[in-house]
Amino acid sequence: MAELAKNTPNPLNTTVEEQVTPPWKEAWKSFCKNKLALVGLGIVIFFIILAILAPVIAPYGFKEQELSKRLLAPSSEHWFGTDDFGRDILSRILYGARISLWVGFFSVLGSAVFGTLLGIIAGYYGRWVDSIISRIFDIMLAFPSILLAIAVVAILGPSLQNALIAIAIINIPNFGRLVRSKVLSVKQEEYIMAARAVGMKDNRILFRHILPNSMTPIIVQATLAIATAIIEAAALGFLGLGAQAPNPEWGKMLSDSKQYLVQAPWTLFFPGLAIMLTVLGFNLMGDGLRDVLDPKMKQ
């Protein structure tokens, strides 16, 4: 009987083990159920691969000029046609993906870091600290984002790096206010009060307890903000305040080709299509993450 009992599996233990699922696996399963989110993820991965492999798959260099082939229509030799300098548009779009994604990722990274830091400080300490930081956010949000970005670039000077800095600055309030509202609710939880009661230092409470429990909205906002940053970078490039020639930034390509809208519409169509698809991909993926990670959306 003892040997039989040892070899007989405990159904209770089996059930408990089967029910324990890592949170990331559950989130991934929920994400995979959203077909549009998967489409967005596929678009994003596709453009990231294109950006990484641009030197390998681009048929020409993005600086190569051949004036005898200027403004050629799409063909087997030049799939997306050529621009007014005879440069291959497909090659420039592939290399331009590097610039747009680089600006999108690093500008959002900068705004997320500084915005999160300011939002945590404002929400945790409150009082006059919260008032000062919140008023700064309100002043920045009072200006249209593109006008504020233009002002920053006008002060720093037109360049791709300064455009990245400007985009990071104008997105700081979005992350700051989001994190501040989350911290205001998290700091009222019992485990935070218990940590204060035992004398735990503020920096440990902030970065070991409050920040990890505030990451969900930051991740969702960051994904959506990358799409916005790509559009803002293209807008600054279109105005001549972002990437400078001969860098193949998509907004700059649109600006250089706007006078050929009737004569050579492909010079505008393909860069515009690249911007639209990339932004669409990040927006669809961000919406899917929000549906998975936001408890209100689950309900």
Side-chain angles (χ1 to χ4, degrees):
M1 292 294 292
E3 184 177 353
L4 179 63
K6 182 185 294 187
N7 295 329
T8 303
N10 188 335
L12 180 60
N13 292 338
T14 303
T15 304
V16 171
E17 291 177 359
E18 291 177 353
Q19 290 178 350
V20 175
T21 304
W24 66 270
K25 281 190 176 181
E26 183 179 352
W28 174 248
K29 288 181 180 179
S30 300
F31 185 85
C32 291
K33 293 178 182 178
N34 190 330
K35 302 303 181 184
L36 289 177
L38 289 178
V39 171
L41 178 62
I43 294 173
V44 170
I45 294 175
F46 174 72
F47 275 96
I48 290 175
I49 293 174
L50 290 182
I52 294 173
L53 300 179
V56 178
I57 62 179
Y60 303 91
F62 69 89
K63 293 182 181 180
E64 291 184 21
Q65 300 181 16
E66 194 170 352
L67 295 178
S68 61
K69 295 183 178 180
R70 63 190 302 270
L71 299 179
L72 290 180
S75 63
S76 58
E77 184 179 2
H78 299 279
W79 289 6
F80 289 0
T82 61
D83 62 8
D84 55 322
F85 286 98
R87 296 172 297 195
D88 184 68
I89 293 178
L90 173 59
S91 300
R92 290 179 62 79
I93 288 177
L94 292 175
Y95 279 96
R98 288 184 157 195
I99 297 176
S100 295
L101 293 176
W102 179 75
V103 172
F105 281 120
F106 284 97
S107 63
V108 169
L109 177 63
S111 57
V113 170
F114 287 100
T116 299
L117 182 61
L118 292 174
I120 286 179
I121 294 173
Y124 184 76
Y125 291 103
R127 298 183 180 179
W128 62 271
V129 176
D130 185 18
S131 298
I132 293 175
I133 295 177
S134 296
R135 296 299 78 76
I136 293 175
F137 288 163
D138 291 340
I139 293 172
M140 295 177 68
L141 291 171
F143 296 93
S145 59
I146 189 63
L147 291 182
L148 186 57
I150 291 173
V152 174
V153 175
I155 295 172
L156 299 177
S159 70
L160 183 62
Q161 291 76 13
N162 292 339
L164 187 152
I165 294 172
I167 295 170
I169 291 174
I170 64 176
N171 284 312
I172 287 176
N174 297 328
F175 285 94
R177 296 186 67 179
L178 182 68
V179 174
R180 173 185 173 275
S181 62
K182 183 67 176 179
V183 171
L184 288 174
S185 60
V186 171
K187 75 175 186 179
Q188 302 300 328
E189 298 291 338
E190 294 182 357
Y191 64 91
I192 299 297
M193 296 181 180
R196 286 177 177 173
V198 299
M200 186 177 293
K201 294 182 178 180
D202 288 345
N203 59 351
R204 191 174 180 186
I205 295 175
L206 288 173
F207 294 104
R208 292 196 60 181
H209 297 287
I210 292 182
L211 180 59
N213 287 283
S214 305
M215 288 301 297
T216 296
I218 296 175
I219 294 172
V220 175
Q221 177 63 25
T223 306
L224 297 172
I226 292 175
T228 304
I230 291 174
I231 294 178
E232 290 166 344
L236 291 175
F238 185 84
L239 296 173
L241 299 174
Q244 303 298 305
N247 291 322
E249 196 274 326
W250 293 338
K252 179 64 176 173
M253 292 175 65
L254 290 176
S255 177
D256 294 339
S257 304
K258 60 181 183 294
Q259 56 184 322
Y260 303 108
L261 175 60
V262 177
Q263 181 182 359
W266 56 87
T267 57
L268 286 90
F269 174 77
F270 290 110
L273 181 64
I275 295 172
M276 184 201 73
L277 289 177
T278 307
V279 172
L280 177 65
F282 279 106
N283 280 334
L284 291 177
M285 188 173 69
D287 289 340
L289 287 175
R290 182 191 59 193
D291 295 343
V292 170
L293 301 177
D294 191 350
K296 296 181 181 178
M297 299 300 296
K298 291 181 180 179
Q299 292 175 2

